[in-house]
């Protein structure tokens, strides 16, 4: 996906410069904590480590700490830009290590072109780290550095530019050959690119079964052949073949596989046409492949193609490798990452691709189904199963080859891996991917606001929604131009001159004439963009509304309640937040936005709506009705209200897992529930938390965000007849995108509901009228 220069700079610049920070894992709030964290208490683990060096893994973070080391001599597609300029890449690597495998990283940029300096630095740092990831170091220096360090160090050393691409493309190789029914020992492979990745891929493919004599290596000078002098080094010499072929085009005639690690456009359609039947093309140059997916398919419909791009099938992305390889190596305390471990990673990825793909993964990529075959040879990077499959395979290979110092039970280890990231570590993007399956028209009354414009750019780019921006057309376009944003796909509507204006005025008068609104007043009210936007939704000219970054909550929601109105059968709208903890656990808190002092009946509606919201995030709701007492421990009107709401909920939806009243800490503690309240239905703890009033809900949500460093999605407005969502003034661009995605999914569900209603089928929430008498 393309991003603008300013978008990239803004991402790295704020709100804190850079992409990583250090978070303490032990408390340091009191004098006692301080004396434990530092002197004098810190002396005790020091002495233990002095007596037994392996205790460093017990008393320090070394066992989960990797150094990403680079001298900046071969940074991505930028070349030799130097150590300091390469730092954003190394920080990015740290983010990926943490995000995908929960591995902590220090990035270290070495200001030297001398490979011996890099070697010496790594050797001196061995006591600090559990592993070394070499990054963006030019060939042939990278070979020399890694070979030397692997011989002299007792921790894993891994040059991702070499082995990462080899491991991932190796999985695609195995599965591609299987799909076309060829014998790996007989296929002819042509490599274009003889740098670190090209050489490593060739060596890895040989270990997987490709015959050395069936490999031709090409570089910028042409075919690497026996006797060639120009541009040679010992690493290329190993692949020199006795051949009369001299060019890439000549080498590719009747070849089965092309492995490109070179430059954009290096592979032409004619070259692809000259290849054998069912050719396999790995066009892995970044950021643009040697040939595009469309070009390859146009000239050879039978081609299987993989690239490094996420917008094409079969993305060869190194993030499928290094986080999980180090995870497995660190967890068994391996002294090296050897060829067997790399092969295990390749085979794990190849095998995982043949498994049934969970619906949640398909939804994450906006597709109905992913099936093993030509368009799906390797797993997707955001498939959470990769962690369990690959890391456990690497750990097992380490144990089998004798480099593991801390063997583990593989079955237990896989369970441990699953707990590392939590079940919902990607929940913040789930709605986005659902929205992309059927984008809807979302109206933004604050159409000339910078954050709204930036969010709409993202919505268009990711095909999440079809934005409608309200405002003066020239102003909106000029503002977008100043920001460098392409909003060509958005519709801009100026309420002052819109052809819809008169029709909306008369409909607004009809809706509000018995609420004190005259036709003259309706003409004035329509000047309010929130009123105009609400009328668009009411009249079907837009399918959802998102507003609020420049206004008070009440000013935004009032027109929506008066015009769009509540869903039939409900008596209250309410708001909830999805709160995602650092561990990846997800909780839904309500009502955080609307009802100041809800009644027991109101709490029933709030709970049912919030449970429905949780299901939309693919989370089974376990609802706790919160209070300052648990199961009758205090006799107070608030507690009585919550207990009554629980009784009504059991009647309203007998299938819903709900209990209370219960205190918040107990609702989130499965052990406490088991010990103190074995009768409770909240086994395993709650994930939907319904508060007794707005004050407690709103305060708790804000504290979790600021003090608990949790991420939130919302506010999610529930109960409107059509999707309306109110933003906070402090909402970020990402918040706006997430809320817009939720609005789109709401609109999608409204379509389904409308169709069901049309067919005469009733499917509505239980309302107060169907509840037992008080």
């Amino acid at each position: 996906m393309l991003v603008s220069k300013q978008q990239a700079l803004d991402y790295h610049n704020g709100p804190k410069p850079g992409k990583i920070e250090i978070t303490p894992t032990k408390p340091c709030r009191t004098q006692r904590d301080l004396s434990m964290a530092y002197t004098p208490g810190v002396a005790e683990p020091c002495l233990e480590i002095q007596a037994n060096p392996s205790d460093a893994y017990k008393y320090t973070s070394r066992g989960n700490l990797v150094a990403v080391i680079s001298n900046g001599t071969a940074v991505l597609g930028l070349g030799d830009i130097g150590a300091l300029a390469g730092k954003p890449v190394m920080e990015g690597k740290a983010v990926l290590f943490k995000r995908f495998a929960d591995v902590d990283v220090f990035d270290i940029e070495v200001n030297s072109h001398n490979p011996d300096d890099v070697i010496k630095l790594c050797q001196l740092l061995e006591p600090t780290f559990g592993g070394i990831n070499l990054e963006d170091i030019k060939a042939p220096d990278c070979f020399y550095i890694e070979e030397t360090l692997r011989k002299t160090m007792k921790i894993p050393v891994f040059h991702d530019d070499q082995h990462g691409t080899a491991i991932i493309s190796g999985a695609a190789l195995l599965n591609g050959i299987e799909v076309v029914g060829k014998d790996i020992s007989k296929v002819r492979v042509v490599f274009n690119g003889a740098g670190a990745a090209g050489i490593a891929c060739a060596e890895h493919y040989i270990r997987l079964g490709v015959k050395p004599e069936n490999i031709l290596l090409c570089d910028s000078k042409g075919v690497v052949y026996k006797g060639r002098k120009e541009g040679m080094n010992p690493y290329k010499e190993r692949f020199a073949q006795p051949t009369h072929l001299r060019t890439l085009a000549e080498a590719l005639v009747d070849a089965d596989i092309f492995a490109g690690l070179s430059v954009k456009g290096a592979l032409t359609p004619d070259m692809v046409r000259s290849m054998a039947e069912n050719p396999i093309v790995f066009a892995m140059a970044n950021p643009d492949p040697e040939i595009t997916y469309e070009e390859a398919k146009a000239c050879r419909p039978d081609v299987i193609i993989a690239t490094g791009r996420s917008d094409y099938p079969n993305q060869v992305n190194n993030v499928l490798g290094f986080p999980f390889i180090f995870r497995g190596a660190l967890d068994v305390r391996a002294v090296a990452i050897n060829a067997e471990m790399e092969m295990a990673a390749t085979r794990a990825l190849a095998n995982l691709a043949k498994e049934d793909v969970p619906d949640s993964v398909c939804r994450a990529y906006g597709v109905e189904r992913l099936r093993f075959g030509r368009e799906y040879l390797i797993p997707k990077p955001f498939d959470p199963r990769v962690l369990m499959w690959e890391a456990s395979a690497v750990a097992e290979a380490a144990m089998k080859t004798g480099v593991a110092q801390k063997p583990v039970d593989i079955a237990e280890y896989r369970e441990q891996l699953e707990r590392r990231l939590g079940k919902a570590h990607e929940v913040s993007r789930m709605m986005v991917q659902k929205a992309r399956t059927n984008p809807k028209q979302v109206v933004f009354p604050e159409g000339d606001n910078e954050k709204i414009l930036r969010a709409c750019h993202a919505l268009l780019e990711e095909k999440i929604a079809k934005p409608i921006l309200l405002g003066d057309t020239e102003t909106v376009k000029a503002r977008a131009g100043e920001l460098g944003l392409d909003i060509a796909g958005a519709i801009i509507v100026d309420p002052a001159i819109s052809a819809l204006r008169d029709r909306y005025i008369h409909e607004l008068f009809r809706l509000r004439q018995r609420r004190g609104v005259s036709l003259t007043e309706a003409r004035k009210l329509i000047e309010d963009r929130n009123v105009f936007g609400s009328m668009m939704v009411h009249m079907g000219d837009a399918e959802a509304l998102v507003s609020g970054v420049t206004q008070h909550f009440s000013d935004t929601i009032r027109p929506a309640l008066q015009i769009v109105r509540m869903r039939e059968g409900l008596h209250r709208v309410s708001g909830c937040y999805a709160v995602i903890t650092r561990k990846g656990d997800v909780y839904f808190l309500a009502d955080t936005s609307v009802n100041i002092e809800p009644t027991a009946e109101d709490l029933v509606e709030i709970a049912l709506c919030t449970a429905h919201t949780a299901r939309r995030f693919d989370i089974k709701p376990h609802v706790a009705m919160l209070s300052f007492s648990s199961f009758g421990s205090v006799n107070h009107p608030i507690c009585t209200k919550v207990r009554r709401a629980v009784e009504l909920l059991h009647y309203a939806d007998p299938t819903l897992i709900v209990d209370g009243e219960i205190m918040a800490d107990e609702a989130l503690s499965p052990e406490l529930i088991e010990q103190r309240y074995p009768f409770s239905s909240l086994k395993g703890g709650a994930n939907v938390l319904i508060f007794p009033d707005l004050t407690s809900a709103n305060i708790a949500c804000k504290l979790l965000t600021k003090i608990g460093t949790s991420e939130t999605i919302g506010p999610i407005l529930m109960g409107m007849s059509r999707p309306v969502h109110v933003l906070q003034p402090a909402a970020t661009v990402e918040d706006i995108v997430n809320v817009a995605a939720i609005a789109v999914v709401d609109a999608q569900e409204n379509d389904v509901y409308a169709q069901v209603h049309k067919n005469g089928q009733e499917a509505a929430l239980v309302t107060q009228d169907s509840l037992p008498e008080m």
Side-chain angles (χ1 to χ4, degrees):
M1 180 176 296
L2 297 176
V3 296
S4 71
K5 176 181 178 179
Q6 193 58 49
Q7 283 178 307
L9 293 176
D10 289 345
Y11 174 84
H12 285 80
N13 181 51
K16 285 184 178 180
K19 300 189 284 284
I20 56 176
E21 66 178 3
I22 296 174
T23 302
T25 60
K26 301 294 190 295
C28 191
R29 294 185 293 267
T30 66
Q31 180 60 38
R32 182 178 182 277
D33 291 342
L34 181 59
S35 65
M36 297 285 279
Y38 202 54
T39 185
V42 74
E44 297 305 328
C46 291
L47 293 172
E48 291 295 312
I49 294 169
Q50 182 185 31
N52 181 14
S54 66
D55 277 355
Y57 291 95
K58 183 178 179 181
Y59 296 115
T60 76
S61 61
R62 187 189 186 204
N64 196 52
L65 189 60
V66 167
V68 171
I69 294 181
S70 175
N71 63 359
T73 54
V75 178
L76 295 176
L78 304 175
D80 186 352
I81 62 173
L84 181 60
K87 185 173 177 62
V89 177
M90 307 315 136
E91 284 193 356
K93 201 81 170 185
V95 171
L96 300 181
F97 263 110
K98 188 65 177 177
R99 162 59 185 82
F100 287 95
D102 196 25
V103 173
D104 296 320
V105 163
F106 286 159
D107 62 293
I108 298 174
E109 290 73 37
V110 186
N111 192 23
S112 175
H113 281 61
N114 186 342
D116 289 316
D117 289 343
V118 178
I119 291 169
K120 186 65 174 178
L121 176 70
C122 292
Q123 292 169 335
L124 292 173
L125 288 173
E126 183 169 353
T128 303
F129 298 101
I132 300 285
N133 182 97
L134 299 171
E135 191 74 18
D136 291 349
I137 300 172
K138 69 178 182 180
D141 292 355
C142 58
F143 302 122
Y144 167 60
I145 291 170
E146 186 188 51
E147 288 173 0
T148 304
L149 293 178
R150 285 188 166 186
K151 291 175 183 175
T152 58
M153 298 182 73
K154 294 299 182 183
I155 59 174
V157 177
F158 183 83
H159 184 209
D160 182 50
D161 301 307
Q162 292 184 59
H163 309 295
T165 306
I167 289 165
I168 314 310
S169 66
L173 171 75
L174 292 177
N175 284 342
I177 287 173
E178 179 177 330
V179 167
V180 299
K182 294 185 179 181
D183 184 342
I184 194 169
S185 66
K186 296 178 181 178
V187 293
R188 286 188 56 236
V189 184
V190 176
F191 286 89
N192 193 47
I199 296 290
C201 283
E203 291 175 340
H204 193 64
Y205 288 13
I206 290 171
R207 289 194 291 267
L208 292 173
V210 175
K211 297 293 185 184
E213 58 269 25
N214 289 340
I215 289 177
L216 281 179
L217 184 67
C218 299
D219 61 12
S220 60
K221 309 297 182 184
V223 174
V224 174
Y225 58 89
K226 286 286 186 184
R228 198 183 99 171
K229 303 298 182 184
E230 187 180 10
M232 294 295 287
N233 61 48
Y235 304 98
K236 293 182 185 179
E237 192 63 47
R238 286 187 296 207
F239 294 94
Q241 296 283 10
T243 178
H244 66 279
L245 303 175
R246 293 295 182 265
T247 67
L248 175 63
E250 292 172 354
L252 278 169
V253 175
D254 291 329
D256 298 286
I257 298 163
F258 169 82
L261 300 118
S262 51
V263 295
K264 174 184 178 181
L267 184 66
T268 67
D270 284 341
M271 292 178 188
V272 178
R273 292 188 190 98
S274 74
M275 294 176 68
E277 184 182 1
N278 288 312
I280 297 172
V281 170
F282 296 157
M284 298 178 285
N286 269 316
D288 298 303
E290 285 83 358
I291 189 170
T292 66
Y293 176 86
E294 293 86 359
E295 289 170 335
K297 283 291 186 180
C299 66
R300 285 293 294 266
D302 62 338
V303 71
I304 290 179
I305 181 167
T307 70
R309 288 178 49 159
S310 60
D311 52 345
Y312 293 149
N314 300 321
Q315 183 190 14
V316 178
N317 190 324
N318 283 21
V319 79
L320 278 169
F322 65 85
F324 314 108
I325 292 166
F326 270 99
R327 179 76 275 153
L330 291 172
D331 288 339
V332 296
R333 211 172 294 167
V335 297
I337 293 175
N338 56 33
E340 289 80 7
M341 295 160 73
E342 294 171 5
M343 294 247 294
T346 289
R347 296 192 186 282
L349 290 171
N351 291 334
L352 176 57
K354 300 173 190 176
E355 295 291 309
D356 183 56
V357 182
D359 290 341
S360 59
V361 176
C362 297
R363 282 193 295 269
Y365 284 89
V367 297
E368 183 176 343
R369 209 84 202 112
L370 287 169
R371 292 184 178 87
F372 176 68
R374 290 174 175 266
E375 304 285 276
Y376 180 67
L377 297 177
I378 47 179
K380 296 290 188 180
F382 283 98
D383 188 334
R385 301 173 301 165
V386 176
L387 176 65
M388 282 71 78
W389 280 66
E390 189 173 357
S392 60
V394 169
E396 188 171 20
M399 291 188 290
K400 288 180 177 178
T401 55
V403 297
Q405 299 180 92
K406 182 189 171 186
V408 296
D409 178 277
I410 290 297
E412 293 179 2
Y413 179 53
R414 287 173 69 91
E415 293 179 6
Q416 175 193 331
L417 291 169
E418 190 168 10
R419 290 193 297 268
R420 272 195 177 271
L421 294 178
K423 295 180 180 179
H425 58 276
E426 270 306 299
V427 70
S428 62
R429 295 293 291 172
M430 182 165 292
M431 282 296 171
V432 168
Q433 305 304 342
K434 286 186 175 183
R436 291 177 66 182
T437 63
N438 185 16
K440 299 292 183 180
Q441 288 187 316
V442 180
V443 60
F444 294 89
E446 300 149 304
D448 51 6
N449 177 267
E450 177 181 339
K451 287 195 286 188
I452 294 295
L453 286 168
R454 290 169 59 197
C456 287
H457 173 75
L459 292 169
L460 288 166
E461 191 174 56
E462 295 193 49
K463 300 178 182 177
I464 297 168
K466 302 172 183 176
I468 301 173
L469 299 168
L470 300 189
D472 176 75
T473 302
E474 295 306 316
T475 302
V476 172
K477 288 182 177 179
R479 188 70 179 123
E482 292 169 7
L483 296 169
L485 302 173
D486 179 7
I487 58 167
I491 297 172
I492 302 174
V493 176
D494 185 349
I497 60 173
S498 171
L500 303 170
R501 182 182 174 89
D502 286 343
R503 185 160 60 97
Y504 286 1
I505 290 170
H506 286 87
E507 176 64 9
L508 178 61
F509 171 62
R510 187 191 69 79
L511 290 172
R512 304 296 296 166
Q513 61 187 348
R514 294 182 182 273
R515 295 292 186 272
V517 175
S518 67
L519 185 60
T520 300
E521 287 169 320
R523 294 184 189 280
K524 293 179 181 178
L525 288 172
I526 207 69
E527 301 294 334
D528 184 332
R529 290 190 205 168
N530 281 318
V531 173
F532 193 95
S534 296
M535 288 300 303
M536 291 193 78
V537 174
H538 171 70
M539 299 293 284
D541 297 317
E543 293 162 289
L545 180 145
V546 174
S547 184
V549 290
T550 62
Q551 303 159 78
H552 292 297
F553 183 89
S554 58
D555 295 333
T556 306
I557 196 173
R558 188 182 298 112
L561 288 172
Q562 293 172 346
I563 297 168
V564 181
R565 301 181 179 181
M566 284 179 286
R567 183 179 302 166
E568 184 180 353
L570 291 181
H571 301 80
R572 291 283 185 271
V573 295
S574 55
C576 86
Y577 275 89
V579 177
I580 307 165
T581 70
R582 292 177 73 95
K583 294 181 180 179
D585 298 319
V586 184
Y587 300 97
F588 296 87
L589 280 59
D591 174 12
T592 58
S593 309
V594 183
N595 299 285
I596 297 174
E597 293 183 356
T599 65
E601 291 77 16
D602 294 337
L603 291 176
V604 171
E605 289 190 357
I606 293 167
L608 291 172
C609 287
T610 312
H612 176 68
T613 297
R615 293 188 190 99
R616 286 162 52 203
F617 281 85
D618 292 344
I619 292 174
K620 183 178 181 180
H622 289 213
V623 183
M625 305 297 288
L626 301 182
S627 183
F628 56 85
S629 65
S630 292
F631 301 107
S633 61
V634 176
N635 187 19
H636 185 277
I638 292 178
C639 309
T640 302
K641 175 182 73 173
V642 176
R643 284 197 292 274
R644 175 59 175 161
V646 173
E647 293 173 3
L648 296 175
L649 277 165
H650 286 153
Y651 177 84
D653 185 356
T655 67
L656 181 65
I657 299 173
V658 57
D659 215 340
E661 90 281 17
I662 187 171
M663 290 188 284
D665 59 335
E666 294 179 333
L668 301 178
S669 304
E671 300 82 4
L672 289 179
I673 293 175
E674 188 69 31
Q675 292 169 10
R676 299 178 186 178
Y677 314 112
F679 54 84
S680 175
S681 60
L682 292 176
K683 307 299 182 187
N687 53 24
V688 174
L689 307 176
I690 306 301
F691 290 77
D693 54 41
L694 178 62
T695 300
S696 56
N698 190 273
I699 290 173
C701 187
K702 299 296 175 61
L703 288 176
L704 279 171
T705 304
K706 294 300 180 184
I707 298 176
T709 64
S710 297
E711 296 181 24
T712 60
I713 300 176
I716 303 169
L717 196 62
M718 306 178 295
M720 296 296 292
S721 63
R722 295 182 183 180
V724 172
H725 289 285
V726 182
L727 300 164
Q728 290 189 350
T732 64
V733 172
E734 185 178 16
D735 292 334
I736 298 168
V737 170
N738 286 336
V739 169
I742 292 168
V744 170
V745 175
D746 282 346
Q748 292 171 350
E749 291 186 354
N750 271 9
D751 287 349
V752 174
Y753 178 82
Q755 186 61 44
V756 169
H757 193 270
K758 182 180 179 181
N759 293 340
Q761 301 175 15
E762 295 297 333
L765 292 171
V766 176
T767 66
Q768 184 177 348
D769 294 336
S770 65
L771 298 174
E773 294 183 5
M774 296 294 290

